[in-house]
């Protein structure tokens, strides 16, 4: 049938009018997105469609420019097996675009629908004791199960076919907060295959794991038990590595469904949980485009140093700017007592994220769900669809993002000092803490705090990251070390780098076996010293040195010096007899570089002094000297620009003057200033 051009044109115009609200001529392409995005998790499937426009109008008024949609909506997207319904999602994305809001789509794999787990119970997760999950709640799936992966692939593929070229969709979030491994028969069989691939023969595994101990010798790979504690340390470490590889292949399964149908401008990521150590984030991030994390305060108060460290940790997964995919609009619902952030701290936290390299800050969640497990969680808008008090603070933040965005475009943090985070080492220490208070994250933070306060910029990196650009590299607890890593560290020092090792360093090989040489194993020659013995401490003991006196706690290694040019920087005072007057910190100059070994957990003030000493030797300077305690300085630079973000985390106002005037980008007027007054939780964004 032939249709005249005129009729066709009329039909087209009529279609356009009908589709009116859902078609958006100037789509928000990610390439044209604002440089700083403010966003929220939006669950349109929970609300009548007639209410969407009001929600989106309120978002637009708050300068919200991105929403994350779709995660957990599996039962709405695929109400019954292979019957897909994306019409509602299509309309939600189009309506968001009409409000100049772009979209990150979540694959719904963290919340399988009831029809799936009922018909295919093998997709359900087993716990360590062999108990299979019931349907309900979320994350009740087995991450290895082939059937589950098939369904997760299919829904991701259908979504990508539908939205992979949609200009308003800027990226994809896989699943939600990967967390629990499964101990089902498939997982166990895959673990055994994984071990066989790695060790080839059971004899090699027996040798590396030293299985003669407690008669653990295996004849076959499938005899090997699967547990998360109480087993041979080599087995425990390999299980974690297997779990990491499995989350990686779990991601790849969905990536292979999305990528062929998606524009390359659409990124693929997942949202992580800060210091969570269930798997190695570097392994999983090797297949993701960007890193993203969910920034929640899990204690009674917002500790900005520790929160900043987690931003730096996340930035280190891909060594580039990242997203805060979720954060709290003042409070959560899952702590014992869900006290709110103080008024002003929500904005403070948002700017801290940007200062540490976030490109986006998204609140969880936009609007109270009408029902469900999280009715009490903080939101921007109540179930009635009108703003709650924190909305205004977030709106103000959005206005500021819009003002400062252009200056911050193309910039990121840069640091002269790096702190190494190593998952195998953290696991290895955790499996056998020996001193209950030896908490690997606490140890990382103990070293991070003075570095951040004094240098004002720290990269947190994997041990595999390039080291050459850093003046100082600290390894608070690199317990597990291979010869290849030791060789790189030795080369770093010989090339003029300053290396600091914390207690328990270089004690184990990569199979979690004790090194055949005394600690720090392959680094002992370079150090010209070694650990003669380690001791758990139940009380503080004195330490003294040129930079002052203080205390050590939790763990103390009795060090000795083997080379005439290795110096003792600190010595233990009277304690258990073994440690009395013995070296606690030793250092050796190697050409222009140095290696320092800290054998104990020092009190904050003493570690401050030691850090100052090291940074001074290495020529590391703060970005902005003379800043009052509690005021954080962040710098982002790039494309010939440099932007400073100053945040007053104190409850008192602070006056800060600068050596030369700077442009105040978010103040009442965009002008050059030579000082700023920061109110409690106040922020200044400045361009030198
Ligand atoms: C996150 C999760 C969200 C929501 C939030 C509440 O861990 O990803 O879906 O449950 O916690 O704080």
């Amino acid at each position: 049938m032939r249709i005249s051009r005129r009729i066709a044109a009329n039909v087209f115009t009529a279609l356009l009018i009908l589709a009116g609200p859902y078609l958006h001529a100037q789509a928000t392409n990610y390439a044209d997105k604002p440089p700083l995005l403010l966003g929220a998790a939006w669950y349109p499937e929970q609300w009548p469609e007639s209410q969407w426009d009001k929600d989106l109008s309120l978002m637009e008024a708050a300068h919200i420019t991105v929403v994350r949609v779709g995660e957990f909506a599996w039962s709405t997207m695929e109400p019954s097996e292979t019957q897909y319904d994306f019409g509602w999602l299509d309309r939600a994305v189009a309506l968001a675009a009409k409000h100049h809001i772009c979209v990150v789509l979540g694959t719904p794999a963290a919340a399988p629908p009831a029809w799936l787990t009922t018909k295919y119970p093998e997709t359900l997760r087993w716990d360590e004791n062999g108990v299979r999950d019931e349907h309900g709640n979320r994350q009740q799936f087995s991450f290895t199960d082939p059937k589950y992966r098939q369904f997760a692939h299919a829904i991701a593929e259908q979504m990508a076919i539908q939205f992979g070229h949609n200009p308003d969709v800027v990226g994809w979030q896989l699943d939600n907060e990967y967390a629990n491994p499964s101990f089902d028969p498939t997982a166990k069989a895959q673990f055994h295959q994984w071990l066989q691939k790695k060790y080839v023969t059971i004899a090699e595994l027996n040798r590396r794991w030293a299985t003669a101990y407690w008669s653990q010798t295996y004849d076959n790979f499938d005899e090997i038990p699967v547990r998360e504690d109480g087993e041979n340390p080599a087995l425990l470490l390999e299980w974690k590595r297997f779990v990491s590889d499995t989350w990686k292949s779990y991601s790849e399964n969905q990536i292979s469904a999305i990528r062929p149908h998606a524009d390359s401008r659409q990124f693929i990521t997942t949202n992580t949980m800060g210091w969570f150590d269930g798997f190695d984030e570097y392994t999983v991030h090797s297949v993701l485009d960007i890193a993203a994390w969910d920034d929640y305060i899990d204690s009674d108060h917002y500790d900005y140093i520790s929160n900043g460290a987690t931003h730096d940790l996340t930035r280190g997964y891909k060594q580039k700017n990242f997203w805060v995919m979720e954060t709290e609009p003042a409070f959560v619902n899952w702590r014992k007592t869900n006290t709110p952030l103080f008024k002003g701290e929500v904005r403070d936290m948002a700017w801290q994220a940007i200062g540490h390299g976030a490109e986006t800050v998204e609140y969880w969640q936009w609007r109270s769900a009408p029902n469900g497990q999280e009715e009490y969680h903080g939101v921007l808008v109540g179930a009635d669809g009108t703003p709650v008090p924190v909305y205004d603070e977030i709106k103000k933040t959005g206005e500021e993002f819009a003002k400062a965005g252009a200056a911050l475009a193309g910039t990121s943090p840069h640091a002269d000092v790096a702190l190494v985070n190593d998952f195998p080492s953290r696991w290895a220490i955790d499996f056998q803490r020996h001193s209950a208070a030896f908490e690997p994250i606490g140890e990382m933070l103990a070293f991070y705090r003075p570095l951040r306060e004094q240098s004002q910029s720290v990269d947190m990196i994997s041990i595999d990251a390039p080291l050459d650009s850093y003046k100082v590299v600290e390894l608070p607890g690199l317990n597990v070390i291979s010869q290849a890593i030791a060789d790189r560290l030795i080369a770093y020092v010989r090339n003029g780098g300053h290396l600091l090792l914390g207690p328990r360093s270089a004690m184990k090989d990569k199979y979690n076996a004790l090194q055949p040489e005394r600690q720090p194993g392959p680094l002992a020659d370079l150090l010209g010293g070694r650990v003669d013995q380690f001791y758990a401490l139940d009380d503080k003991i004195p330490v003294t040195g040129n930079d002052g006196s203080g205390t050590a706690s939790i763990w103390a290694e009795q060090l000795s010096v083997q080379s005439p040019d290795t110096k003792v920087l600190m010595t233990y005072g009277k304690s258990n007899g073994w440690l009395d007057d013995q070296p606690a910190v030793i250092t050796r100059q190697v050409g222009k570089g140095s290696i320092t070994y800290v054998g104990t957990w020092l009190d904050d003030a003493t570690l401050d002094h030691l850090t100052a000493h090291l940074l001074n030797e290495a020529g590391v300077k703060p970005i902005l000297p003379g800043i009052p305690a509690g005021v954080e300085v962040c710098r982002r630079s790039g494309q010939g620009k440099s932007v400073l973000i100053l945040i007053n985390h104190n409850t008192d106002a602070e006056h800060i003057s600068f050596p030369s005037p700077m442009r105040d980008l978010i103040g009442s007027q965009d002008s050059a200033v030579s000082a700023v007054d920061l109110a409690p939780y106040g922020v200044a964004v400045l361009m030198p």
Side-chain angles (χ1 to χ4, degrees), residues 43 68 71-72 138 176-177 271 273 294 296 326 332-334 364 374 377:
Y43 298 95
R68 189 193 58 188
E71 48 138 34
F72 306 128
R138 57 181 172 177
N176 176 73
E177 295 187 345
N271 51 337
M273 293 188 283
D294 296 346
Y296 293 103
E326 298 179 10
V332 297
N333 70 314
W334 40 260
W364 197 96
E374 297 171 303
H377 202 282

Side-chain angles (χ1 to χ4, degrees), residues 229-247:
D229 55 42
E231 278 297 336
N232 181 312
L235 185 159
L236 295 177
L237 198 66
E238 295 296 36
W239 168 252
K240 288 279 198 191
R241 289 186 175 126
F242 163 77
V243 168
S244 308
D245 280 352
T246 305
W247 281 120

Side-chain angles (χ1 to χ4, degrees), residues 621-639:
K621 302 248 178 321
I623 296 167
L624 212 56
I627 293 295
V631 174
E632 187 175 9
V633 177
C634 307
R635 180 173 56 200
R636 287 178 49 156
S637 55
Q639 297 185 350

Side-chain angles (χ1 to χ4, degrees), residues 433-440 442-443 537 554 601:
R433 282 200 188 181
H434 197 67
S435 184
F438 203 111
E439 207 269 304
E443 194 203 13
L537 301 179
I554 303 173
W601 197 310

